[in-house]
Amino acid sequence: MYWPEKLSLAQLPTPFHLLPRLSAELGVNIWLKRDDLSGFVLSGNKVRKLEYLLSKAQSEGATTVITCGGLQSNHCRATAFACASLGLKCHLVLRDGDKRQSGNLFLDQLAGAMVTVFSAPEYTKNLTGILRDLACEYEGKGEVAFVIPTGGSDGVGVWGYVQAAFELQGDCAQHNINPSHVVCASGSGGTQAGLAAGCALAGMDCEVLGFAVCDDERYFLDKIARDIESWQSFYPEVRIPSPLKFNVNDDYVGLGYAKSRNEELVFIAELARTEGVLLDPVYSGKALFGLVSEIRKDASRFGSDVVFVHTGGGFGVFAYEQQWQQILNC
Ligand SMILES: *Cc1c(COP(=O)(O)O)cnc(C)c1O
């Protein structure tokens, strides 16, 4: 199969293992793909996309990388550190309104990224223009700017999870399992798009199920289709078997992006205590909470084995201090 050039930034392959106590309780084996362990400051799903995106940036002679996200964006933090490791400048355009304290915003600045924060309405209304103007500004100073869209989800970033799906196929073969579902959190859709295309290419007969953490089912079905279409137009040499098997569940968005209900945080605490695994409140916590709730409702919809891709985000737990105090009485 055709593979484009990529950088080696992540610690790959990531581990793969069963959650023994949760699986016994549910009567369905829940296997974790530990992409939360893809690195320390580079941790999570974004580094897989950045291996391809930043390789393209370098091949185009980029000197400054511009990207965007929420104030606590994991994608922006990973980009800041990846750029630092490559000797590239990094400028982050961030949307105000998420939790402010500590976490990723601090790490961005520690890694030397330039940060510009816009109010949520201004960001939402003008993002494309803001990124374009900033790129022009850098170009005017003789820099070569490379703009990465939200979450690194575009026709190039898709490769990260196409490759991850092949890794996953090997993990499943090694454990002799045929999962009914490969499950992830969906925020900008690129992870699920890559998994959907990659699982089909790798010959895995499973449904790729995304739990939305913002927006709704319609939005993600369109976004995933668009990312795959754009990927196909960039790399016509890859033939994907159709139709792809993917679905989106938007029943667990809860209070909205980066807002947690107490039961979600209680679930995160339970998983930490019973399995020694740290989920994050914005993505993996919501998605695994959703998956476990769906299995409890009707386990027959799932086979004997399900894979959950732990996409990382651990630094996010520090932005919820007050809510944790209420829940944990500490
Ligand atoms: C960005 C992110 C996701 C969502 O991935 P998308 O490709 O944007 O849909 C899931 N989990 C974590 C921890 C993330 O940072």
Side-chain angles (χ1 to χ4, degrees):
M1 189 177 127
Y2 168 85
W3 294 96
E5 282 199 26
K6 74 170 191 87
L7 301 172
S8 175
L9 299 169
Q11 301 289 320
L12 301 178
T14 55
F16 182 79
H17 64 84
L18 188 69
L19 289 178
R21 283 161 291 277
L22 183 62
S23 300
E25 185 209 319
L26 294 172
V28 173
N29 288 331
I30 311 280
W31 298 84
L32 269 199
K33 180 61 173 165
R34 298 295 303 270
D35 279 10
D36 58 321
L37 302 180
S38 58
F40 176 49
V41 286
L42 286 172
S43 66
N45 58 343
K46 303 307 184 307
V47 63
R48 287 191 186 264
K49 307 179 192 184
L50 289 170
E51 290 193 326
Y52 291 93
L53 288 159
L54 292 177
S55 170
K56 183 151 184 284
Q58 280 195 326
S59 75
E60 292 177 8
T63 55
T64 298
V65 171
I66 299 170
T67 194
C68 57
L71 208 56
Q72 290 295 339
S73 165
N74 296 309
H75 163 67
C76 289
R77 179 254 306 148
T79 306
F81 275 91
C83 285
S85 78
L86 298 170
L88 295 169
K89 289 192 198 121
C90 178
H91 196 130
L92 304 174
V93 171
L94 303 179
R95 183 189 62 240
D96 205 353
D98 304 351
K99 305 274 188 301
R100 259 223 177 250
Q101 306 128 303
S102 69
N104 284 323
L105 177 60
F106 165 69
L107 292 173
D108 296 341
Q109 289 166 324
L110 199 61
M114 289 282 298
V115 170
T116 314
V117 181
F118 290 85
S119 72
E122 204 180 343
Y123 178 99
T124 311
K125 196 160 137 252
N126 297 328
L127 182 61
T128 314
I130 293 170
L131 295 173
R132 199 195 322 111
D133 292 350
L134 196 57
C136 283
E137 214 177 286
Y138 276 103
E139 302 271 351
K141 286 188 269 185
E143 303 267 338
V144 178
F146 187 87
V147 177
I148 298 177
T150 308
S153 294
D154 66 5
V156 178
V158 162
W159 277 113
Y161 273 84
V162 169
Q163 191 212 347
F166 279 79
E167 207 179 292
L168 201 51
Q169 192 273 335
D171 294 328
C172 291
Q174 202 182 351
H175 289 85
N176 229 335
I177 57 167
N178 273 311
S180 64
H181 293 76
V182 170
V183 180
C184 67
S186 280
S188 62
T191 300
Q192 202 186 343
L195 285 172
C199 285
L201 280 168
M204 287 177 78
D205 182 26
C206 59
E207 177 186 306
V208 176
L209 175 60
F211 280 88
V213 301
C214 52
D215 298 295
D216 61 9
E217 181 188 354
R218 189 69 260 152
Y219 170 83
F220 280 107
L221 292 177
D222 289 347
K223 177 66 168 50
I224 291 163
R226 259 186 290 136
D227 282 354
I228 291 176
E229 222 176 80
S230 151
W231 173 67
Q232 284 278 266
S233 71
F234 289 162
Y235 309 96
E237 48 276 82
V238 184
R239 293 254 162 276
I240 43 173
S242 59
L244 298 179
K245 276 171 53 181
F246 62 91
N247 262 306
V248 175
N249 181 320
D250 61 7
D251 292 340
Y252 297 88
V253 179
L255 298 177
Y257 180 71
K259 298 195 179 87
S260 295
R261 294 179 292 177
N262 280 354
E263 61 250 56
E264 296 162 13
L265 297 186
V266 166
F267 175 76
I268 291 174
E270 268 169 20
L271 205 81
R273 278 197 290 258
T274 58
E275 301 281 5
V277 170
L278 176 64
L279 299 169
D280 82 291
V282 184
Y283 297 97
S284 56
K286 265 188 192 169
L288 190 56
F289 177 78
L291 174 63
V292 167
S293 305
E294 289 296 303
I295 293 174
R296 287 203 172 115
K297 260 199 264 176
D298 182 8
S300 70
R301 284 174 44 222
F302 300 87
S304 52
D305 298 275
V306 174
V307 171
F308 182 77
V309 181
H310 187 336
T311 42
F315 296 118
V317 292
F318 300 115
Y320 292 75
E321 219 171 333
Q322 282 184 341
Q323 214 176 335
W324 283 123
Q325 277 169 5
Q326 283 173 7
I327 289 164
L328 302 173
N329 284 324
C330 62

